[in-house]
Amino acid sequence: MSEIYKNYIDGEWVECSDGKRFQVINPANTDDIVGEFQLSDREDCKKAIAAAARAFPAWAEVPATERGRYITRVIDLATHRKEEIAAALCREEGKIMKEALGEVAKGINLLEFYAGEGFRIEGKTLPSEMANTFVYTIRRPLGVVSLISPWNFPFAIPAWKIAPALVAGNTVVFKPSDFSPLTACLLAQILHEAGLPRGVFNFITGPGPTVGDEMVRNDSVKAISFTGSNQIGDIINKTASERGIKVCMEMGGKNAAVVLDDANLDLAVAGVFTGAFGSTGQRCTATSRLILTRGIKEEFMKRLMEQVKTIRIGDGSKPEATMGPIVNENQFNSVMALIEKGKKEGAKL
């Protein structure tokens, strides 16, 4: 029987109101059920936001340096559990273990930086046009912030969003992607173990059209940070703009590498190979277009294809694998459809 993972609301691990759950399956072994997670609804999300709103006034008055020290405790806990986190990431998202460990290290580095921001939150003094008048600015937290993260970096991107929000004095409602919620849940466990006051951090899983929508529309939410698709990002951006609240968006790209005649081909090929095929190509920063000058095209493509032929696809937990699987069946079908579309448009596979 697979393990059941709960929401974290107001300092307690709780099931969603109607008891519904969804399963996450290991993409490298579809017989392996990673876990069951809460299929939360709008009312569950309202409870999480209400808890964050109640916690905000007291948390905002905690000195920024002390808020940073909570993140320092998170760093220590995450460092002790880094192999466990990487194994979970590999199992649910499909990254090879080397990439998973690299992502966890990146997330810990981000936590280290933002813990220090508690000592660097500063305002400004400004000249005044009036005599005997002292003009200055101070930074104050916004309130409840909604953080929505993607499936392809389920540890690093949540750390990137949660730590600065907390250190700045905001309270958080965090929803990970339904494709890879286990890694995010482990981070939520660590934040709980770090001793954050009740309601300061809240973790909830569930569908975007209900839970995610409430995280954007709820009147108590004062800022939103979203990483994900262009389609959903456009909707969130429009809704946040209509509400007049702050919004930070990171969406998809169509990233080009340009290689000129005077390039160091060894470095260029290595960079393009890693950029295109690292993390199974499943990242918004992946190299998806290659623009070559005629003078180096043939030699460059020869070297690149030699690299491509070294790829060994397999279970990311196995040392011989150099590329893990597509994250799930829906994404696999989407990739295959795009390949067929390209072939019909004249591309050579």
Side-chain angles (χ1 to χ4, degrees), residues 11 78-79 121 136 257 338 340:
T79 299
I121 295 177
Y136 66 98
L338 288 169
E340 289 303 313

Side-chain angles (χ1 to χ4, degrees), residues 101-123:
L101 286 166
E103 179 179 339
V104 176
K106 174 68 172 178
I108 292 171
N109 289 343
L110 289 163
L111 293 169
E112 289 171 338
F113 176 83
Y114 287 115
E117 284 296 278
F119 291 87
R120 296 188 289 267
I121 295 177
E122 58 187 22

Side-chain angles (χ1 to χ4, degrees), residues 178-239:
D178 291 350
F179 290 2
S180 54
L182 175 57
T183 308
C185 187
L186 295 181
L187 178 56
Q189 291 175 7
I190 289 169
L191 285 156
H192 169 69
E193 291 171 23
L196 285 168
R198 292 172 63 104
V200 167
F201 170 79
N202 303 271
F203 164 83
I204 185 169
T205 55
T210 51
V211 175
D213 186 67
E214 185 65 30
M215 291 174 70
V216 176
R217 296 183 183 277
N218 191 289
D219 288 341
S220 294
V221 172
K222 304 305 179 186
I224 301 154
S225 178
F226 169 82
T227 303
S229 71
N230 292 340
Q231 179 184 11
I232 301 303
D234 287 342
I235 295 170
I236 292 174
N237 192 41
K238 180 181 178 181
T239 304

